[in-house]
Amino acid sequence: MTVVASELSGSDPEVRVVAGVVRGSREAGVAVFRGIPFAEPPVGALRFAAPRPVRGWDGVRAAVAYGPPPPQGGHFGMDALALDAAGDDWLTVNVWSPAPGPDAGLPVMVWIQGGAYTIGMSGLPEYDGGRLARDGVVVVTFNYRVGLEGFGQIEGAPANRGLLDQVAALEWVRDNIKAFGGDPDRVTVFGQSAGGGSVAALLAVPRAARLFGRAVAQSVQGTFFAPELAADIASACAAELGLQPTIADLRTVEPERLSAAGDAVGAKMDRWADRWGRAAHRSIPFSPVVDGDVLPVTPWQALADGAGRDIELLVGHTRDEQRLLTALDGLLGQVTPDQAATALRLFAPGGQDGARRYHDGFPAAGPDELYELVHSDWLFRMPSLHLAQAQTTAGGRAHLYELTWPAPGMGGILGACHGLDVPLVFGNLDRGQPALLIGEAPSPEAEALSASMRAAWTAFATHGDPGWPAYDTERCLLQLFDTRPSVTAYPEETSRLIWQNHPFPVLPLTGRG
């Protein structure tokens, strides 16, 4: 492969990676490289395969534009964004470095975006790493396959291809980041929502061992599928196209048609509630699969068994995780007593006993609050807390946090909602969809909180200490991020007690009806 970047200025930063030479640009004092392939395009004969190392190129490759995203689900118009970006180089990395060159030895922060394992692309403006890099770290973002391409259980294909893409990106970092000024022995992986779930999964993936030494898991999505459940959902998706969930049937289907089939199933998952259980009730068609190979056990079991004992962990959640999702469903302020009762019965640990404990623990809560609490706890808050607990119990080190600062955007109705941490951590308060939560003009309060969170994240990536005591199961101390950040005992004690004995098992195929 021959690539010539003659249109670029000679003063632009140039770096040699294993596959060849790339030339980026300078933006606000930071060297930026976009769209560097870390694996061959997973199309044609490589579709649904594990990622393959990228072939080298001759000449200088322009690295000034994001690579095309992988096929996307239709949420928030992401499918249209993917179609607008031509090309099949889905698997690319982007690097922001304040000091490129082999001698800088800076800590490295590798971001994994969320999106319910259905959408997600590294080129969104909220994930621009420039502001974070100016705090003295090398920032890496990348694309990985989502939806059926990345997580569908397809006969003849390896499971968890999206996770394997993440491993391949981390291998690229190991082999190349020194040239960008990064220290390959000081790599921190961080992610939010499905990205936080991916971080948790990587702690349990044997192939990811020794590729990172620190991990930040933000609002961990706690859904992990049994192979039988994943296979049944993939079968329903293929049936939308009149096909079987096999490589032979699906390899030649246009990616956008395959994504649309996943969307169609996701939109009517309640039809399969009797056999898909909680995944159907929350319309979650894709998640990592505990397949016994790529992902041998759940993250909580892996950490309890000591798999992460040598990994320093920072983990936390927002206070009002569910509220934004309830608003998107059109239910904010509209939850009926029957809907709250159904949510408690389905998602509280122990069914009706768990529902009773919610009523007893929150006696003044109405339907809206109970609905929000149990959904927040099941999907994000308690999975995050239990990750810290499993790590600590096994003799590892974890630091816990909770974001309680209420989002001022959209009239202030969303509280400390899901996704609010993303613009605060990246420092991108005025761009991208999450910035809508901050408001049109970021306040001094928002700027100060963002600076505080960036300082904690970069300090953790630098030396493993975000600035507050490690979590232990006796004092249960954590950092609250609010107008006035403070260290205190875990404030969601009632929920903690309700969920304290829940193991967060794989979501099973519950029936055949």
Side-chain angles (χ1 to χ4, degrees), residues 4-317:
V4 179
S6 58
E7 74 277 9
L8 296 175
S9 165
S11 63
D12 288 320
E14 196 170 284
V15 165
R16 177 173 291 278
V17 297
V18 170
V21 178
V22 294
R23 187 180 293 166
S25 60
R26 290 197 180 274
E27 301 173 13
V30 173
V32 184
F33 303 82
R34 295 183 173 94
I36 306 172
F38 67 86
E40 284 293 292
V43 297
L46 297 183
R47 195 166 181 198
F48 308 120
R52 304 282 179 87
V54 67
R55 292 172 295 164
W57 56 83
D58 300 322
V60 179
R61 185 185 184 104
V64 295
Y66 292 111
Q72 302 282 302
H75 308 283
F76 310 113
M78 297 284 273
D79 53 346
L81 285 177
L83 286 174
D84 288 343
D88 54 19
D89 246 336
W90 301 340
L91 303 180
T92 58
V93 300
N94 319 292
V95 183
W96 289 260
S97 174
D103 300 323
L106 297 173
V108 182
M109 299 182 68
V110 181
W111 171 252
I112 305 178
Q113 67 270 357
Y117 304 105
T118 303
I119 58 174
M121 58 183 74
S122 63
L124 296 179
E126 51 262 40
Y127 304 142
D128 185 288
R131 182 64 191 85
L132 201 54
R134 290 199 296 275
D135 289 337
V137 297
V138 176
V139 178
V140 179
T141 67
F142 65 92
N143 287 332
Y144 62 95
R145 284 171 284 182
V146 293
L148 276 162
E149 300 282 351
F151 293 95
Q153 191 79 347
I154 296 172
E155 185 179 332
N160 296 306
R161 296 172 298 281
L163 293 182
L164 292 175
D165 292 346
Q166 296 169 14
V167 171
L170 287 167
E171 290 173 338
W172 184 94
V173 169
R174 177 197 61 198
D175 297 338
N176 294 281
I177 205 62
K178 186 174 182 179
F180 295 88
D183 182 350
D185 294 322
R186 281 200 296 170
V187 173
T188 298
V189 63
F190 71 127
Q192 182 266 349
S193 194
S198 295
V199 170
L202 289 172
L203 293 167
V205 171
R207 296 175 215 198
R210 294 178 294 281
L211 292 177
F212 58 94
R214 296 182 180 120
V216 183
Q218 304 170 211
S219 299
V220 174
Q221 182 172 331
T223 53
F224 288 80
F225 286 179
E228 297 80 11
L229 173 61
D232 210 52
I233 293 175
S235 181
C237 294
E240 290 286 322
L241 303 169
L243 300 171
Q244 294 296 315
T246 65
I247 286 183
D249 269 23
L250 299 181
R251 179 174 279 161
T252 59
V253 175
E254 294 88 346
E256 58 269 24
R257 288 188 65 218
L258 200 62
S259 295
D263 286 346
V265 170
K268 55 187 179 185
M269 288 188 77
D270 56 334
R271 296 186 184 181
W272 290 277
D274 287 344
R275 69 186 189 193
W276 294 351
R278 293 180 179 90
H281 287 287
R282 280 302 302 252
S283 297
I284 300 173
F286 305 108
S287 282
V289 180
V290 178
D291 65 320
D293 177 23
V294 176
L295 185 59
V297 295
T298 66
W300 304 276
Q301 184 62 57
L303 290 192
D305 293 340
R309 193 175 292 125
D310 296 329
I311 304 292
E312 293 170 319
L313 177 64
L314 172 61
V315 60
H317 56 76

Side-chain angles (χ1 to χ4, degrees), residues 349 357 382 385-386 389 493-504:
R357 297 184 71 187
M382 295 303 108
L385 173 64
H386 281 222
Q389 291 178 333
E493 178 67 4
T494 301
S495 290
R496 186 188 72 82
L497 291 174
I498 292 172
W499 290 83
Q500 63 182 339
N501 296 319
H502 186 69
F504 284 97

